[in-house]
Amino acid sequence: RVRMAPKVRTVSLHTGQEMPIIGIGTYRANDEFRVVLREAFEFGYRHIDTATMYQNEHIIGEELDKLFSSGKLKREDVFVTTKLPMIGNREEDVPRFLQKSLDKLRLTYVDLYLIHFPCGMKGEDDDDLSPKGNDGNVVLDVKTNLEGIWRAMEAQVDAGKAKAIGISNFNSQQIERIVKVARIQPAVLQVEVHAYHMQKKLRGVSQKFGIPVCAYSPLGAPYLKLESSEHPSLLEEPVVMKIAKSHNKSAAQVLLRHLVQHGIIVIPKPEETEHIVKNIQILEFELSEEEMRVMDSLDRGADGRIYDFLLYPGIDRHPEFPFHIPF
């Protein structure tokens, strides 16, 4: 067996919670992912990120249940995040969707509940997560009221069903609007961040309000194999490979270390045991100021974005579509 990982550093949230700076992303994770999950907990991971949209909360719930009933870990040892789906983006629907998530996760509360995306949709039922109309476009709910949704999120904290609440894929204007009306401030902003898309301005806004940033796709979503891109995958970026070689580390480790050194929480999805071990070993080395500068220079601004959410056809017609403004 590989030795136990170093204790994972944490980021302090305004709620008093400590959020581990490295977590397990579970987007596209299916039944085979159970093995990876079990091993991740064994190696010291204490933070797992899922969402209703990923349709795998039940798998994670079963594994957490086994873990807790075995006595190896207690509920309070693991930081669990899940997210409100777009078909639940209405004030009156928030409690129902969070309860559905809790039932699948076999938990009485989540550590963090996020509004997954600021645009609302109208599903036929609660399982119709990506409702399509006859024209092939998603069925939008153009009356989405983010401030109203936030009130309902706050009520979930009051009810003890979420320790903290936050936002995901919101632009700077949307963040400001929430902060303005919030009785309970957003605890975390989860957005796409990686060396090609550092979101510097958005992170600046988040920092101004004391909201830590959690990066999804911190490796630039290598599984997507972006044929359309004229840039190499981040894992094959010569600069990254050069720095990796000098530290005797992998390109993925350098990419994660770069973000963590910026104080950004990362949730890469480990595909196998080797990734589990390597991802957590990023706490054992450091990039120099010069290496950090070189990594920062890879940023391509808005051009570096991978996830535009247009896999939901017509979503960009929603009045709250976040990517119409620069940041």
Side-chain angles (χ1 to χ4, degrees):
R1 268 238 101 106
V2 183
R3 65 190 177 80
M4 274 298 282
K7 190 163 164 44
V8 176
R9 243 177 66 203
T10 58
V11 171
S12 303
L13 307 186
H14 74 69
T15 53
Q17 291 160 285
E18 294 293 327
M19 185 171 179
I21 201 158
I22 305 173
I24 310 163
T26 63
Y27 177 53
R28 299 159 68 102
N30 53 21
D31 221 42
E32 283 91 83
F33 197 66
R34 291 173 189 275
V35 181
V36 174
L37 262 185
R38 281 173 215 153
E39 299 195 316
F41 288 123
E42 212 151 294
F43 283 116
Y45 285 81
R46 298 293 179 262
H47 167 191
I48 184 159
D49 180 278
T50 183
T52 297
M53 296 297 283
Y54 304 167
Q55 298 181 44
N56 58 18
E57 289 170 313
H58 61 290
I59 294 171
I60 291 159
E62 284 164 26
E63 291 308 316
L64 287 174
D65 196 45
K66 283 180 205 159
L67 188 70
F68 300 145
S69 47
S70 73
K72 284 183 189 165
L73 287 175
K74 297 195 282 291
R75 167 65 188 97
E76 57 271 24
D77 295 332
V78 183
F79 193 103
V80 182
T81 301
T82 194
K83 310 177 192 86
L84 177 72
M86 289 178 263
I87 59 164
N89 274 355
R90 276 168 297 280
E91 187 168 358
E92 64 275 16
D93 289 350
V94 172
R96 186 172 82 252
F97 278 98
L98 175 51
Q99 190 54 54
K100 280 175 177 286
S101 287
L102 290 173
D103 292 346
K104 286 177 191 155
L105 290 165
R106 305 190 184 195
L107 301 174
T108 54
Y109 70 88
V110 286
D111 298 273
L112 178 63
Y113 196 45
L114 301 174
I115 302 173
H116 201 154
F117 198 77
C119 304
M121 295 185 201
K122 289 179 184 166
E124 291 283 320
D125 56 44
D126 290 355
D127 298 317
D128 189 14
L129 294 171
S130 180
K132 298 262 189 349
N134 295 332
D135 60 357
N137 286 321
V138 286
V139 183
L140 298 176
D141 175 3
V142 293
K143 294 197 178 117
T144 303
N145 175 350
L146 296 179
E147 290 83 353
I149 297 168
W150 193 254
R151 273 195 303 275
M153 298 285 281
E154 291 173 328
Q156 298 312 296
V157 177
D158 299 338
K161 294 186 175 188
K163 296 263 188 205
I165 47 178
I167 48 188
S168 182
N169 299 299
F170 277 42
N171 63 34
S172 54
Q173 293 172 8
Q174 291 165 331
I175 295 169
E176 304 225 6
R177 278 165 49 200
I178 295 296
V179 167
K180 213 177 195 165
V181 301
R183 171 171 63 83
I184 300 171
Q185 289 297 329
V188 173
L189 168 70
Q190 187 180 119
V191 285
E192 177 187 337
V193 185
H194 45 77
Y196 280 158
H197 189 53
M198 286 300 291
Q199 300 257 39
K200 206 168 169 197
K201 285 180 173 167
L202 187 67
R203 281 170 34 228
V205 172
S206 208
Q207 200 172 357
K208 179 172 93 175
F209 297 121
I211 307 170
V213 170
C214 175
Y216 69 75
S217 297
L219 304 176
Y223 56 83
L224 283 180
K225 307 261 187 305
L226 302 169
E227 284 88 13
S228 59
S229 174
E230 67 280 23
H231 294 271
S233 142
L234 266 175
L235 295 173
E236 286 152 16
E237 172 64 60
V239 169
V240 178
M241 289 166 79
K242 190 178 167 196
I243 293 174
K245 200 172 173 198
S246 71
H247 284 276
N248 200 15
K249 296 287 178 193
S250 69
Q253 286 173 311
V254 169
L255 291 166
L256 294 176
R257 179 70 216 183
H258 171 230
L259 298 185
V260 163
Q261 241 170 275
H262 273 302
I264 299 167
I265 299 156
V266 293
I267 44 170
K269 180 188 166 216
E271 301 286 345
E272 51 197 60
T273 308
E274 188 193 1
H275 296 166
I276 293 170
V277 182
K278 284 187 163 174
N279 290 354
I280 217 161
Q281 282 172 345
I282 64 166
L283 301 168
E284 297 171 347
F285 77 105
E286 203 163 320
L287 299 176
S288 69
E289 273 180 44
E290 173 59 16
E291 287 168 333
M292 286 293 283
R293 196 189 58 70
V294 169
M295 291 295 293
D296 287 346
S297 72
L298 292 172
D299 188 16
R300 292 166 27 217
D303 290 344
R305 185 189 308 284
I306 294 167
Y307 288 104
D308 53 14
F309 282 76
L310 299 180
L311 65 115
Y312 301 103
I315 197 158
D316 52 332
R317 298 193 311 227
H318 194 288
E320 293 287 5
F321 185 70
F323 309 137
H324 283 324
I325 71 161
F327 69 97

